[in-house]
Amino acid sequence: FNQPLNHPMAQAMPWLRYLRNSTYYHFFRKAPPVEELHQASSYWAASQLGVVHQNPTLRSVWLIRNCLDLQGRGKLLSLVRRLSTGAGGWFGYELGRWMMPLHALPALDEAPHPPGCGLVEGLDVFGPQQQRVAAAPEKWLRLGKLRKEQVMGAEEMYQLQEMLPQRIAAFQQQRCLFIQLQRLEPGAEVTAHRDALPYGGDRIATVVLEGSSQVRVGSQTFQVNAGDCYAIADEARYVVEHEVKAASCDRLSLTFRYGLSNLKVLPAMPGEELRAADRGGSALWEA
């Protein structure tokens, strides 16, 4: 049902994929939490390019417009095309949603890691057991290797990894745990969630490489376009849910996960026990 990205169906008839995906997510979307039903939503219209915008209501959400220029996006898209045909490959874990994991630079198993982190054997991926084995961390692509081989786009990915802690104060001194390439097909959504512990990262940032969509974090909704970066931490990461709305075109993004949380479990949400059970797997791979 979820065709590989190199399958002709994944490249053709976007209207058919939009219809299929939007129908699925309309009928199987989880019910919103109680507090969301009683909380007024507002639209965040930050527009100035190149500066770090901090949400005035939810202070642990940041947005950088056009943090990646057209040339940089072109090189990263070239890298994505190369990786899509290589040994790493994409993993489908919900209808119309694909993910490719990469080790950051340095990788957690190549350099001293954060206290309590251990190596990466605790990481897994959505899907049946055979997919979990195929996506084991020792098989992930490595940004360090790609950069050493001077593969086009690898330097730009590394610069993004290093840029975020330099530009957003809350990300300073936070080690990048790993990177995810994520593709969202037309009509597909990243449904409302809070990222899993501990490997979901203490701070999370996503850079959009291609496409556009609306993102909601708690009561705040905003538009993200190609080249934009948005980031969450603290309350926006742990207390409220975030989601990526469906769009009419493919959306390709890079998610960087920094630091390990000291929390053992996520804070309870009002009415959480009334919501439908999770569709399976860990929320680690949400974006």
Side-chain angles (χ1 to χ4, degrees), residues 63-96:
L63 178 61
I64 308 175
R65 296 286 186 203
N66 200 34
C67 80
L68 184 63
D69 62 19
L70 187 60
Q71 183 179 28
R73 294 206 310 272
K75 291 181 178 180
L76 279 164
L77 290 172
S78 173
L79 175 62
V80 172
R81 287 192 291 270
R82 173 171 175 156
L83 299 183
S84 297
T85 58
W90 293 89
F91 297 93
Y93 55 98
E94 275 194 317
L95 187 66

Side-chain angles (χ1 to χ4, degrees), residues 12-286:
M13 293 188 292
W15 62 269
L16 182 59
R17 289 186 291 144
Y18 178 83
L19 180 62
R20 178 198 65 177
N21 294 331
S22 58
T23 301
Y24 171 84
Y25 283 95
H26 174 77
F27 286 105
F28 292 97
R29 182 185 296 113
K30 290 190 294 185
V34 172
E35 63 179 11
E36 182 188 325
L37 293 175
H38 298 280
Q39 187 177 42
S41 179
S42 61
Y43 187 80
W44 184 25
S47 59
Q48 188 175 352
L49 301 181
V51 303
V52 179
H53 297 276
Q54 186 174 27
N55 187 274
T57 302
L58 190 55
R59 304 289 291 172
S60 50
V61 181
W62 298 269
L63 178 61
I64 308 175
R65 296 286 186 203
N66 200 34
C67 80
L68 184 63
D69 62 19
L70 187 60
Q71 183 179 28
R73 294 206 310 272
K75 291 181 178 180
L76 279 164
L77 290 172
S78 173
L79 175 62
V80 172
R81 287 192 291 270
R82 173 171 175 156
L83 299 183
S84 297
T85 58
W90 293 89
F91 297 93
Y93 55 98
E94 275 194 317
L95 187 66
R97 296 188 56 199
W98 302 86
M99 183 276 299
M100 182 190 301
L102 298 94
H103 284 289
L105 176 58
L108 289 179
D109 57 357
E110 293 178 336
H113 42 73
C117 178
L119 297 179
V120 291
E121 67 271 9
L123 300 175
D124 61 20
V125 66
F126 277 154
Q129 181 61 34
Q130 61 268 28
Q131 178 163 291
R132 292 173 183 262
V133 172
E138 61 268 20
K139 300 180 181 180
W140 292 2
L141 296 165
R142 295 178 179 269
L143 177 55
K145 183 174 185 292
L146 295 171
R147 187 171 181 242
K148 184 177 181 180
E149 294 173 353
Q150 298 184 333
V151 175
M152 180 181 291
E155 181 63 28
E156 283 70 23
M157 186 180 294
Y158 175 70
Q159 292 302 323
L160 283 176
Q161 175 193 299
E162 296 299 290
M163 175 273 291
L164 293 163
Q166 296 170 8
R167 303 221 40 201
I168 303 176
F171 282 63
Q172 291 177 3
Q173 309 303 316
Q174 293 286 340
R175 170 79 171 277
C176 187
L177 302 179
F178 61 98
I179 305 168
Q180 294 166 265
L181 273 167
Q182 305 218 45
R183 182 178 288 278
L184 201 60
E185 290 186 3
E189 304 175 14
V190 179
T191 53
H193 69 282
R194 293 178 294 167
D195 292 77
L197 297 172
Y199 293 109
D202 189 45
R203 279 95 169 89
I204 305 167
T206 293
V207 179
V208 180
L209 302 180
E210 188 175 62
S212 62
S213 60
Q214 285 195 342
V215 174
R216 182 187 65 82
V217 184
S219 65
Q220 304 300 300
T221 299
F222 50 95
Q223 178 77 17
V224 291
N225 302 314
D228 293 347
C229 170
Y230 60 97
I232 61 172
D234 303 324
E235 180 183 0
R237 186 261 187 264
Y238 294 109
V239 180
V240 300
E241 293 186 323
H242 58 280
E243 62 181 322
V244 179
K245 306 286 190 178
S248 59
C249 59
D250 286 287
R251 178 187 189 264
L252 182 67
S253 61
L254 271 173
T255 295
F256 299 85
R257 300 182 181 272
Y258 297 85
L260 281 173
S261 172
N262 293 321
L263 295 178
K264 301 300 181 184
V265 295
L266 291 169
M269 297 181 68
E272 190 171 27
E273 69 279 0
L274 301 177
R275 302 177 72 189
D278 185 81
R279 287 189 291 272
S282 161
L284 169 62
W285 302 108
E286 304 284 2

Side-chain angles (χ1 to χ4, degrees), residues 2-11 90 98 185:
N2 217 17
Q3 298 286 2
L5 288 180
N6 58 0
H7 190 280
M9 276 293 293
Q11 307 297 330
W90 293 89
W98 302 86
E185 290 186 3

